[in-house]
């Protein structure tokens, strides 16, 4: 089905929703960028004080916290945990790189 075959009202609503999704995606990217700016500072502080790049206890607390937030937001907690695990792995990789430099 082409756009010209879709009811104009449906197409307008689809466009409106997609624009909202695009705005949310942009906000997510900007929030991740801010998060990584903070974690880079943590990585430098850890490197300066010879602390390990990973903090399993903190990570476990964060995962539990995010799962609870996801549940209250009606988001699949397993998905939220997978996302945070992905982010944590990237943060640890950054911290390891900082520690080596």
């Amino acid at each position: 089905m082409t756009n010209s075959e879709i009811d104009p009202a449906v197409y307008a609503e689809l466009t409106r929703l997609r624009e909202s999704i695009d705005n949310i995606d942009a906000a997510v990217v900007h929030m991740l960028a801010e998060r990584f700016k903070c974690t880079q500072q943590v990585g430098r502080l850890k490197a300066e004080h010879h602390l390990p790049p990973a903090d399993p206890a903190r990570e476990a607390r964060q995962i539990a916290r995010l799962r609870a937030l996801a549940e209250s937001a009606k988001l699949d907690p397993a998905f939220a945990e997978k996302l945070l695990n992905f982010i944590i792995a990237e943060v640890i990789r950054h911290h390891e790189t900082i520690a080596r430099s």
Side-chain angles (χ1 to χ4, degrees):
M1 182 175 279
T2 65
N3 291 343
S4 62
E5 297 172 316
I6 299 174
D7 178 287
V10 171
Y11 185 73
E13 180 67 1
L14 185 61
T15 299
R16 184 189 69 76
L17 290 168
R18 286 178 172 166
E19 287 171 354
S20 291
I21 291 167
D22 292 349
N23 289 336
I24 293 166
D25 287 346
V28 167
V29 167
H30 288 285
M31 291 302 295
L32 282 171
E34 285 300 310
R35 188 185 197 287
F36 278 103
K37 285 177 188 173
C38 290
T39 61
Q40 293 284 27
Q41 291 174 30
V42 169
R44 286 190 292 277
L45 187 61
K46 284 181 172 184
E48 289 169 13
H49 296 278
H50 308 288
L51 299 171
D55 184 344
R58 160 98 173 137
E59 293 155 19
R61 287 191 308 273
Q62 284 298 94
I63 288 168
R65 180 177 158 273
L66 196 68
R67 285 185 68 91
L69 287 170
E71 285 179 24
S72 69
K74 307 292 188 244
L75 179 68
D76 179 5
F79 169 77
E81 183 174 346
K82 287 178 193 175
L83 177 62
L84 186 59
N85 280 327
F86 179 77
I87 292 168
I88 288 170
E90 186 67 7
V91 167
I92 291 169
R93 188 180 70 77
H94 290 175
H95 289 184
E96 290 169 343
T97 300
I98 292 167
R100 283 192 303 269
S101 60

